[in-house]
Amino acid sequence: MTGFEVTPIGTVESSLTDPAAAPKQGPEGGPEAWLVIDPAVLDALDGVRAGARLVVLTWFHLARRDLLRVHPRDDPANPLQGVFNTRSADRPNPIGLHEVEVLAVEGARLHVRPLEAVDGTPVVDLKPVLD
């Protein structure tokens, strides 16, 4: 297998616009945001309610895909490590993983928090958090 296609199911609407200014992780200051779900998959939201916890998978479309080693947390004091040992957005397949709380469901829009993804980030999938 040399590749495969993933179709976004929605996009992020957020006050964050600059990846460099975004918090490293949602709980470190990620704001509330909206997930705008494609009407073609709207039935897949059945059962999602306010108060639910979801894992949001995103595609970091602004990330660098050619970086294989980074200073963790962008701190030059940290020794270089392979991206597979970090949560860096820059990686060969820039998949973001975010645990959020659903604040409201309004049609095809989910109000969530905290989310460190920038405005316009494609949403790839949603999964419930399993306790």
Side-chain angles (χ1 to χ4, degrees):
M1 181 195 256
T2 60
F4 55 92
E5 184 176 320
V6 175
T7 302
I9 62 155
T11 57
V12 172
E13 283 186 359
S14 175
S15 60
L16 296 173
T17 58
D18 179 6
K24 298 296 180 199
Q25 300 296 317
E28 297 174 352
E32 295 179 5
W34 289 90
L35 306 179
V36 182
I37 305 303
D38 186 314
V41 298
L42 192 56
D43 283 348
L45 285 181
D46 186 31
V48 175
R49 305 275 184 264
R53 299 211 48 85
L54 297 176
V55 175
V56 180
L57 286 90
T58 60
W59 186 262
F60 287 137
H61 62 300
L62 301 177
R64 289 187 53 186
R65 297 183 70 183
D66 61 335
L67 287 181
L68 301 180
R69 295 168 48 90
V70 296
H71 294 280
R73 303 190 67 76
D74 295 324
D75 183 347
N78 292 327
L80 280 171
Q81 293 190 30
V83 295
F84 296 153
N85 195 44
T86 75
R87 293 291 303 263
S88 173
D90 298 318
R91 52 198 324 112
N93 289 310
I95 298 169
L97 185 68
H98 321 269
E99 185 174 331
V100 300
E101 175 188 4
V102 177
L103 301 174
V105 179
E106 297 180 5
R109 296 167 51 86
L110 298 178
H111 192 196
V112 300
R113 79 168 168 220
L115 186 61
E116 74 278 16
V118 299
D119 190 61
T121 298
V123 176
V124 175
D125 203 358
L126 304 172
K127 296 184 179 286
V129 171
L130 302 177
D131 292 326

